[in-house]
Amino acid sequence: RRAYIREDLVVQEWTARGTHHGTMTRSGIEVQPTGKTVEYRGMDVIPVRDGLVARKDVYSDSITMLRQLGLTAI
């Protein structure tokens, strides 16, 4: 959706969309395919050191995804 770029940092906002066709593992729990479609948002924070990616931290709205799959009562 958006990207913020500096010399030492990149932040990307994104939206993921898809259909749950394969087995998914979350917190050690295996979830069989539901066939349901999901859409949720997330963000990548990417520090840059000496012109190279130092790491990539991914933050996503997993609760929204789990709700859409019918896997949480929240």
Side-chain angles (χ1 to χ4, degrees):
R1 293 183 337 260
R2 284 182 279 209
Y4 305 91
I5 302 170
R6 297 190 334 205
E7 183 176 319
D8 61 344
L9 182 69
V10 175
V11 176
Q12 301 175 119
E13 295 178 8
W14 48 263
T15 300
R17 295 177 189 89
T19 304
H20 182 209
H21 287 301
T23 302
M24 176 177 70
T25 303
R26 288 277 192 220
S27 301
I29 299 170
E30 230 177 60
V31 180
Q32 295 304 310
T34 63
K36 294 182 179 181
T37 59
V38 296
E39 179 176 311
Y40 61 99
R41 293 181 175 194
M43 177 175 63
D44 299 336
V45 178
I46 306 166
V48 177
R49 305 266 189 288
D50 300 320
L52 300 172
V53 172
R55 68 177 190 275
K56 180 180 174 188
D57 298 322
V58 180
Y59 302 92
S60 64
D61 184 2
S62 295
I63 293 297
T64 293
M65 178 188 61
L66 293 173
R67 281 183 185 148
Q68 291 174 11
L69 293 175
L71 301 174
T72 180
I74 297 174

